[in-house]
Amino acid sequence: MTPRVALAGNPNTGKTSVFNRLTGANARVGNYPGVTVERESGRWKLPGLEVELIDVPGTYSLAARSPEEQLAVRALFGLDGENRPHVVVLVLDATQLLRNLYLAMQVVEAGIPAVFALNLMDVARKQGVVIDMPALTERFGVPLVQISAHTGEGFAELAKVVERVILHPDEGRGIVGWRYPRSVEQAVTRLLPLSAAHSPAEGRALALWTLLSVGEGDELLDVPTTVRQEVEAIRRLHPAPEMDAEIVGARYAFLDGRPLVRTPSQQHSFTERVDAWALHPVAGLVLFVAVMGMLFQALFSWSDPAINAIESLFGWTGDLVSAALPAGLFSELIVDGLIGGVGSVVVFLPQILLLYFLLGLLEDSGYMARVAYLVDRAMRALGLHGRAFVPMLSGYACAVPAVMATRTLESRRDRLLTMMVVPLMSCSARLPVYTLVIASLFPTGNLLGFFPIQSALMVGMYLFSTGTALLAAGVLGRTVLKGKRIPLLMELPPYRLPRLRTVLWQMWMRARSFLTEAGTVILACTVVLWALLSFPRDVQLSRDYEGERVTMVAGGASEELLDAADAEERGERLQHSYAGRMGKAIEPIIAPLGFDWKIGIGLVGAFAAREVFVSTMGLVYGIGDDVSEESEPLREKMAAERHRDGSVVYTPLTGLSLMVFFALSAQCMSTLAAVRREANSWGWAGFLFVYMTVLAWVASFVVYQGGRLLGWG
Ligand code: GDP
Ligand code: MG
């Protein structure tokens, strides 16, 4: 029988790269959890024999909560018809060794013959990381090899060592040098007789694994009923969270026990001196707030000129094209559908590029790791992971790259939770809507005599959205996405000058994913929306616009008067369009929020992308679609709009209700598409849509009806 060797390790440690180098196969190298969920296997020629090599999905632990972890557990323990591997090659990231060793401990505990391959040695050396190899050998008793999948260093030795362990499995069985509290040991003793393990060590490991894994959300696990009942009996004596903490805590205590990794002393002392400030409870927080403040300042003021330039460029191109093409359906499709659609995608690029450039600088300098550490406590209170901070922050620019940024999170639960709340952060597409509403409906005076009301409202909307996102995390994390957060265990890398090349490359990769992901969806939606707004075309109009125009031209009417007449005709056509009918159809649902059917059309339009609301309102009010949130005529029209009974449509209360609705609702096809893809589930995208829409409706209802009760209507 061909011996079997499994390649295991945390995600992104280079397993697939090692696999490809060893087998010559071209298995796909992806760099986020999920890609290697399909089992890859290939042949590997050792000096004296040939083995079957299996690429196991990346996992941070063997507590089988996520699908990746469950697959890894099956592969390593040989459950569910999988054959047990003869040797596990544990691929460890030498630059993040401590964190990686948590999984290594569990493999050692299971008594599976193992070889530790310390990968990414090329990077580790450049970073000046020094690994205490003798100490590592002494503590784990497993053969170690330093390798680099990039340079090929150490691969010949790896082959020799693996062959030796295949022939003498005991050389690969490490030493379990850590102890668990007595309650844990007692539980293990109760479970041992029930397991179908191949060895006492494996039985212990399986028992510990069962204790950490059996419970809610383990439907996929194939655990015998007797074991399940026993675990439940144990849980009645020792509640799960305490037992978990004891097991996990004992392991971390062992890892923290003695330094295994050092950075060179000089660099070390510089980093230590900076960290004395950067991680200080008070000074660190001040620095953090200052850095974040600067980031926002940059995001909202520095990108403005570029945004304006892009807007003018697309407006100008549209004018040029519509002048060149004969008027008609085709020209409208090109100008309003395509050029408008591309424009509404590209207009987000300046902010996204800038945000990711600045985040890249902070990450590469080593500061972002400190931020994760600083915010971890606060985030933990909300059930979020410290590393969810960057995705949440990115959410202020656009939820699509933010959803993709959740890939850095380790467990599926942490990742899903972050994805479910990121779309609540106030993205830049909401900004034009807030600007339009605030400028049209709210007075320009000062609050308390010095703080402009309009600015206060804008700041208020940002605070409101951030608060709601955090609150939602707290609630979802305790209900729908109940579960354990993986503790944040990270080495703080030494500070260094950011490398421009790395930063620019990362920025480009993220921007590219935005363009391909969001871009295609927004573009498609804009074209569909254009069709909804433009068809059907042969409708009965209330006036003979064509005839009137002929009379006006004959009477020498000015260009402006003609344009105004055109806009009126377009407004009426819109009422009869499919979008107009949809707006009217949803009116009964949105009327309790203070919205009429015209806002309804805007909401339908906003589903492609929120900022489309503004241009749709321009169409609705017969000003044309070439309006921005700064447009005076649109603001005036909205302020002057009356209900049939003569009452004002857009009161400040309606405005508030509208902004609250925009802050909370899931009106963004691209975000839903990104979540569907990243979570690999229609269910979660659907859940996101439903919960945000319901939340938006209820909140707007409370604001509007509550306001009316208080007499603000
Ligand atoms: P997996 O998730 O464990 O399968 O990791 P991958 O094989 O997909 O590698 C993740 C990333 O690390 C890829 O971008 C690889 O090119 C890179 N990588 C893997 N091994 C090495 C190495 O030894 N040195 C360097 N510099 N990069 C590596
Ligand atoms: Mg892989």
Side-chain angles (χ1 to χ4, degrees):
M1 193 184 75
T2 327
R4 299 157 54 87
V5 176
L7 274 180
N10 293 12
N12 280 323
T13 52
K15 289 177 303 301
T16 303
S17 311
V18 171
F19 179 87
N20 288 347
R21 209 172 235 283
L22 294 176
T23 60
N26 264 325
R28 190 168 153 212
V29 183
N31 58 355
Y32 50 91
V35 158
T36 17
V37 162
E38 291 208 340
R39 190 166 155 284
E40 302 266 4
S41 75
R43 306 235 136 215
W44 176 23
K45 276 200 177 59
L46 300 178
L49 52 124
E50 201 177 76
V51 296
E52 187 191 352
L53 192 66
I54 305 150
D55 189 11
V56 175
T59 174
Y60 289 88
S61 88
L62 295 184
R65 290 278 159 89
S66 71
E68 297 85 37
E69 286 169 353
Q70 291 177 6
L71 283 171
V73 168
R74 276 178 209 177
L76 295 184
F77 287 117
L79 299 174
D80 300 342
E82 284 271 352
N83 289 314
R84 291 158 72 231
H86 293 78
V87 177
V88 172
V89 173
L90 205 62
V91 182
L92 304 169
D93 177 348
T95 67
Q96 309 244 326
L97 198 55
L98 266 190
R99 198 144 69 86
N100 282 229
L101 285 172
Y102 184 77
L103 177 66
M105 292 174 73
Q106 296 176 64
V107 171
V108 169
E109 210 162 54
I112 308 170
V115 174
F116 290 178
L118 276 58
N119 190 31
L120 288 132
M121 276 313 295
D122 54 322
V123 184
R125 242 175 244 126
K126 261 189 225 135
Q127 290 181 356
V129 175
V130 175
I131 295 161
D132 191 341
M133 296 295 275
L136 210 54
T137 311
E138 185 195 319
R139 300 187 112 203
F140 290 96
V142 168
L144 310 171
V145 187
Q146 299 192 338
I147 64 168
S148 161
H150 266 202
T151 65
E153 162 191 353
F155 274 69
E157 198 199 338
L158 182 66
K160 266 191 254 161
V161 174
V162 170
E163 185 166 300
R164 206 176 68 222
V165 176
I166 290 175
L167 300 175
H168 312 283
D170 277 341
E171 287 190 25
R173 294 209 175 91
I175 314 157
V176 181
W178 50 98
R179 297 278 165 268
Y180 295 105
R182 213 155 55 117
S183 56
V184 176
E185 289 297 343
Q186 281 167 349
V188 170
T189 315
R190 287 179 69 168
L191 287 169
L192 261 182
L194 301 174
S195 83
H198 305 266
S199 70
E202 201 168 297
R204 264 184 68 85
L206 268 174
L208 285 165
W209 165 73
T210 322
L211 282 174
L212 283 174
S213 310
V214 171
E216 287 158 73
D218 69 344
E219 295 78 17
L220 291 170
L221 284 182
D222 190 12
V223 178
T225 327
T226 47
V227 175
R228 203 177 277 277
Q229 284 165 351
E230 192 64 24
V231 171
E232 274 155 20
I234 293 169
R235 291 268 163 81
R236 278 194 284 277
L237 295 173
H238 288 279
E242 283 166 34
M243 181 81 76
D244 289 359
E246 281 173 352
I247 299 176
V248 176
R251 289 177 183 159
Y252 281 137
F254 177 75
L255 287 181
D256 282 343
R258 195 172 119 193
L260 296 165
V261 184
R262 278 175 290 130
T263 46
S265 55
Q266 193 202 350
Q267 214 178 3
H268 197 58
S269 67
F270 171 75
T271 294
E272 265 183 356
R273 276 203 307 271
V274 177
D275 272 344
W277 287 101
L279 297 179
H280 188 271
V282 180
L285 223 55
V286 172
L287 180 69
F288 167 70
V289 170
V291 169
M292 292 303 135
M294 255 166 51
L295 203 71
F296 274 93
Q297 178 64 21
L299 210 55
F300 291 108
S301 56
W302 297 357
S303 57
D304 234 26
I307 294 176
N308 291 337
I310 290 176
E311 278 174 346
S312 342
L313 181 72
F314 276 87
W316 178 76
T317 314
D319 289 347
L320 215 65
V321 172
S322 57
L325 291 175
L329 203 54
F330 181 67
S331 151
E332 278 176 36
L333 169 65
I334 299 293
V335 176
D336 300 338
L338 284 177
I339 297 181
V342 174
S344 61
V345 175
V346 178
V347 79
F348 292 119
L349 264 187
Q351 272 189 330
I352 288 175
L353 288 174
L354 192 63
L355 176 73
Y356 281 121
F357 179 71
L358 296 174
L359 275 181
L361 287 181
L362 290 176
E363 266 169 11
D364 211 50
S365 68
Y367 184 66
M368 241 21 223
R370 273 82 186 168
V371 168
Y373 177 84
L374 277 174
V375 300
D376 190 54
R377 262 183 100 90
M379 304 278 280
R380 185 162 33 193
L382 299 161
L384 284 166
H385 195 274
R387 230 172 271 146
F389 184 75
V390 169
M392 302 273 286
L393 194 66
S394 315
Y396 285 115
C398 174
V400 173
V403 164
M404 282 185 265
T406 60
R407 285 175 188 172
T408 52
L409 287 159
E410 306 164 358
S411 82
R412 187 168 160 80
R413 181 257 171 195
D414 290 346
R415 232 189 129 194
L416 278 174
L417 182 58
T418 313
M419 269 190 239
M420 289 301 116
V421 300
V422 151
L424 283 170
M425 306 299 281
S426 204
C427 68
S428 51
R430 285 159 168 122
L431 200 55
V433 180
Y434 296 161
T435 309
L436 174 69
V437 171
I438 291 177
S440 325
L441 308 179
F442 289 90
T444 46
N446 286 334
L447 213 61
L448 304 172
F450 68 94
F451 204 73
I453 293 176
Q454 298 194 337
S455 317
L457 272 166
M458 191 60 95
V459 173
M461 286 318 293
Y462 273 88
L463 291 179
F464 173 70
S465 87
T466 312
T468 318
L470 296 179
L471 200 71
V475 173
L476 292 176
R478 283 175 180 76
T479 52
V480 186
L481 283 162
K482 208 150 51 179
K484 260 186 333 201
R485 220 186 58 116
I486 288 193
L488 180 79
L489 181 75
M490 60 192 323
E491 282 132 297
L492 299 176
Y495 288 108
R496 64 166 175 219
L497 270 183
R499 293 153 303 181
L500 201 59
R501 245 186 64 143
T502 320
V503 173
L504 288 176
W505 175 248
Q506 273 191 2
M507 173 182 89
W508 168 238
M509 293 304 282
R510 287 158 157 173
R512 197 182 66 172
S513 65
F514 164 76
L515 282 178
T516 50
E517 297 275 324
T520 42
V521 178
I522 296 182
L523 187 59
C525 282
T526 335
V527 174
V528 170
L529 182 69
W530 167 82
L532 287 178
L533 289 167
S534 318
F535 292 94
R537 300 184 75 84
D538 52 345
V539 287
Q540 194 67 46
L541 297 175
S542 64
R543 280 155 53 193
D544 175 17
Y545 290 99
E546 199 54 41
E548 284 175 22
R549 185 158 25 235
V550 174
T551 328
M552 282 168 82
V553 172
S558 70
E559 192 78 9
E560 275 148 43
L561 278 177
L562 284 172
D563 279 351
D566 272 355
E568 263 176 53
E569 179 181 350
R570 285 220 262 172
E572 195 182 336
R573 282 190 177 280
L574 184 68
Q575 282 189 40
H576 297 289
S577 70
Y578 292 118
R581 294 177 199 178
M582 285 161 87
K584 284 193 177 137
I586 61 171
E587 192 172 24
I589 307 172
I590 56 176
L593 316 181
F595 307 160
D596 63 357
W597 64 271
K598 293 184 180 178
I599 300 183
I601 300 182
L603 294 182
V604 171
F607 199 68
R610 289 186 180 88
E611 80 285 3
V612 173
F613 180 78
V614 175
S615 55
T616 314
M617 291 317 267
L619 279 174
V620 174
Y621 285 107
I623 297 161
D625 58 353
D626 193 13
V627 295
S628 76
E629 64 276 17
E630 313 285 347
S631 159
E632 274 309 324
L634 178 57
R635 289 178 181 177
E636 282 163 17
K637 278 262 187 178
M638 285 176 64
E641 180 76 0
R642 292 287 179 279
H643 281 298
R644 263 174 235 114
D645 61 6
S647 60
V648 182
V649 171
Y650 293 98
T651 60
L653 187 60
T654 322
L656 203 59
S657 166
L658 191 60
M659 287 198 293
V660 166
F661 190 86
F662 264 87
L664 302 179
S665 73
Q667 283 159 305
C668 180
M669 279 302 276
S670 330
T671 304
L672 295 173
V675 166
R676 196 214 68 80
R677 219 193 58 122
E678 292 295 309
N680 200 8
S681 133
W682 284 101
W684 282 111
F687 173 76
L688 179 70
F689 176 72
V690 171
Y691 109 79
M692 283 182 68
T693 309
V694 170
L695 188 66
W697 193 91
V698 171
S700 292
F701 182 84
V702 169
V703 166
Y704 186 69
Q705 299 298 342
R708 279 178 24 137
L709 281 182
L710 293 174
W712 296 343

